[in-house]
Amino acid sequence: MTDDIRKERSPGIKLLFAGLIGFALMIPLLLVYALVYDRKDQSQTAQAAINAGWGGPQIVAGPVVVVPYKTNEVQNETVDGKTVSRSVEVERNLFISPVSNRISTQVEPQERRKSIYSSVIFEAEVTGEAVFELPGDLPRFGVRQDQLIWDRAELRMGASDARGLTKGGEITVNGDALAVEPGKGPAATSGQGFFAFLQWQGDEKLDVKYSFGLRGSRSLSVVPRGGQTSWQVSSSWPSPSFTGDFLPETREISADGFKASYTVDKLALGQAPVATQDMRPPNIQADAGYMGVGGQVMESGPLGGQSSAITVGLVQPVDLYSKVDRAVKYGFLFIGFTFLAFLLFDIVGGARVAAAEYLMTGAGLVLFFVLLLAFAEVIGFTGAYLVASGAIIGLLTAYSSAVLGSWGRARFIGALLLGLYALLFVLLNLEAWSLLIGSVLLFVALAGVMYATRNIDWNSVGRRVEPPAM
């Protein structure tokens, strides 16, 4: 009987039980981690449903002048087992980029909800002025002017999701309005957009003015092309993200919205003023096969290099799923610190905490993350954090008073949990400094435990003092 009591009160056995229960709680933590991903996936599905019929992330490209031309190509054929070469006249397209292109965009955002999920959509007014000029050294690019079929020249504009072109478009060339037709957008927008037939012989400059309304969601991108592209974009949305291949030269962000200004020169793009192949979609294009709506190829023929893009995103200020995801990663530290406090009260203070009590305390700590996720989807992350942490701190403090047999000890557990949850909230909001702050505080916590237990004789803890022999 004495050996059993000694074994039960052994610090090593207590530490082993606490450690095993802590590792067992990793299973529900991983399940919570998977739950976060599942809810995030449901959120993205709901956002896609909100955006359906309105328009997805939009890429704007153009204008670009496209002129067919005829050329001779050598083709090889096998006749009677022999390779025969012959010259064949084929038709190709010459893509003429603008010398300059000035774009102005006003973005009007909206936040739409479906059940507890929301998505950011927008309406944009795009206006611009572009100047075209046929290079004087055109033959150096492999095409002679007498090969060009000018009566079939086209001026093309592109929008990657044509569903958003609900207000049509206007194009004027040297003051004359052109009739706009759907389709035939640049390859950078997978062939979606609109075009107009152009009366131009290439012997004079072409002054083009254009405007159109565009619906979309989440982000708006512009594909710079030609000599120099400048883009002025403004919106009342207070939380933009500036990504893509170029960052704005100037930007202003306030609670009333943002303004940004871009200028991209031809040397930064590395593109010739004319090309016999159109540019491929930029990296932000979701489909690598350059497909349009319905999976049909929208641009035939060979494609050239990949387009660059400037992107402005309308992001939601708090990505609650990423924050909850990061919070779950700190779950084992919560369990570890709380179990350590229980273990010290058990071994040193004689509180005699049972394995089942460790397990229920750990279950409460895991439940915090489920509550945080559930409430965050309804009332936002900060409010959910206050509700979930307050509920768990109150529950475990009251439970600790019964387990540890003292409200004084329970208040210590409550203060410990309050400090841990406050620290976690700071770490989640200071992402760049979270590793530094977390590692320093872990060092301080370890040093505190070492200092508090420096005079304990661990070999004698839990041993029963035998009465002297008579």
Side-chain angles (χ1 to χ4, degrees), residues 273-297:
V274 297
T276 57
Q277 297 177 341
D278 205 358
M279 303 295 293
R280 292 182 290 137
N283 278 328
I284 54 177
Q285 188 76 349
D287 44 16
Y290 320 124
M291 302 290 183
V293 176
Q296 298 179 351
V297 177

Side-chain angles (χ1 to χ4, degrees), residues 12-330:
I13 296 298
K14 291 288 186 180
L15 181 61
L16 177 62
F17 273 115
L20 289 176
I21 295 171
F23 278 110
L25 289 171
M26 290 295 291
I27 296 175
L29 271 179
L30 290 175
L31 293 177
V32 174
Y33 197 74
L35 178 63
V36 175
Y37 272 90
D38 178 67
R39 299 298 293 182
K40 184 175 183 179
D41 184 66
Q42 290 187 35
S43 172
Q44 292 173 344
T45 301
Q47 289 175 350
I50 294 172
N51 300 337
W54 183 269
Q58 289 286 11
I59 304 173
V60 175
V64 59
V65 173
V66 182
V67 185
Y69 70 96
K70 291 184 178 181
T71 184
N72 292 323
E73 290 184 357
V74 176
Q75 295 183 355
N76 296 324
E77 295 181 355
T78 301
V79 180
D80 297 331
K82 296 182 180 180
T83 301
V84 179
S85 299
R86 63 172 182 166
S87 179
V88 179
E89 186 179 64
V90 296
E91 187 176 297
R92 295 285 184 259
N93 286 329
L94 180 68
F95 301 89
I96 306 173
S97 299
V99 176
S100 64
N101 187 19
R102 293 182 297 172
I103 312 168
S104 178
T105 306
Q106 175 65 37
V107 180
E108 295 297 334
Q110 302 177 34
E111 190 170 6
R112 289 193 174 181
R113 302 189 67 86
K114 181 178 181 181
S115 183
I116 61 174
Y117 304 106
S118 65
S119 181
V120 182
I121 60 176
F122 64 82
E123 290 188 81
E125 292 292 332
V126 182
T127 60
E129 298 181 6
V131 177
F132 290 85
E133 187 175 9
L134 194 66
D137 56 349
L138 182 62
R140 292 176 178 267
F141 296 96
V143 180
R144 300 189 314 273
Q145 191 162 352
D146 60 347
Q147 295 176 283
L148 298 172
I149 309 173
W150 288 107
D151 58 351
R152 290 171 51 197
E154 299 171 353
L155 185 67
R156 298 182 180 181
M157 285 292 307
S160 60
D161 192 340
R163 295 175 301 170
L165 292 170
T166 57
K167 296 184 179 180
E170 297 179 358
I171 298 178
T172 61
V173 174
N174 295 335
D176 298 325
L178 302 183
V180 174
E181 303 292 341
K184 285 192 176 183
T189 57
S190 301
Q192 299 192 63
F194 56 92
F195 75 102
F197 291 109
L198 181 65
Q199 298 295 325
W200 189 43
Q201 299 297 320
D203 52 358
E204 61 181 1
K205 286 186 178 180
L206 205 64
D207 292 322
V208 177
K209 294 183 179 180
Y210 56 91
S211 64
F212 58 93
L214 186 64
R215 290 179 175 180
S217 59
R218 299 179 188 171
S219 68
L220 176 65
S221 303
V222 166
V223 175
R225 184 168 186 162
Q228 187 180 80
T229 301
S230 61
W231 185 30
Q232 307 287 331
V233 57
S234 60
S235 174
S236 59
W237 189 255
S239 303
S241 67
F242 303 104
T243 58
D245 297 290
F246 303 95
L247 294 179
E249 292 183 313
T250 61
R251 62 181 182 180
E252 299 176 12
I253 304 175
S254 66
D256 298 324
F258 71 90
K259 296 180 180 180
S261 175
Y262 296 83
T263 300
V264 182
D265 191 74
K266 63 180 180 181
L267 297 181
L269 288 175
Q271 299 175 7
V274 297
T276 57
Q277 297 177 341
D278 205 358
M279 303 295 293
R280 292 182 290 137
N283 278 328
I284 54 177
Q285 188 76 349
D287 44 16
Y290 320 124
M291 302 290 183
V293 176
Q296 298 179 351
V297 177
M298 305 300 293
E299 181 71 23
S300 61
L303 296 179
Q306 192 167 62
S307 300
S308 301
I310 308 167
T311 301
V312 174
L314 305 181
V315 299
Q316 293 173 304
V318 178
D319 185 357
L320 62 93
Y321 294 105
S322 65
K323 283 197 170 185
V324 175
D325 174 77
R326 290 176 55 216
V328 174
K329 295 176 182 177
Y330 290 96

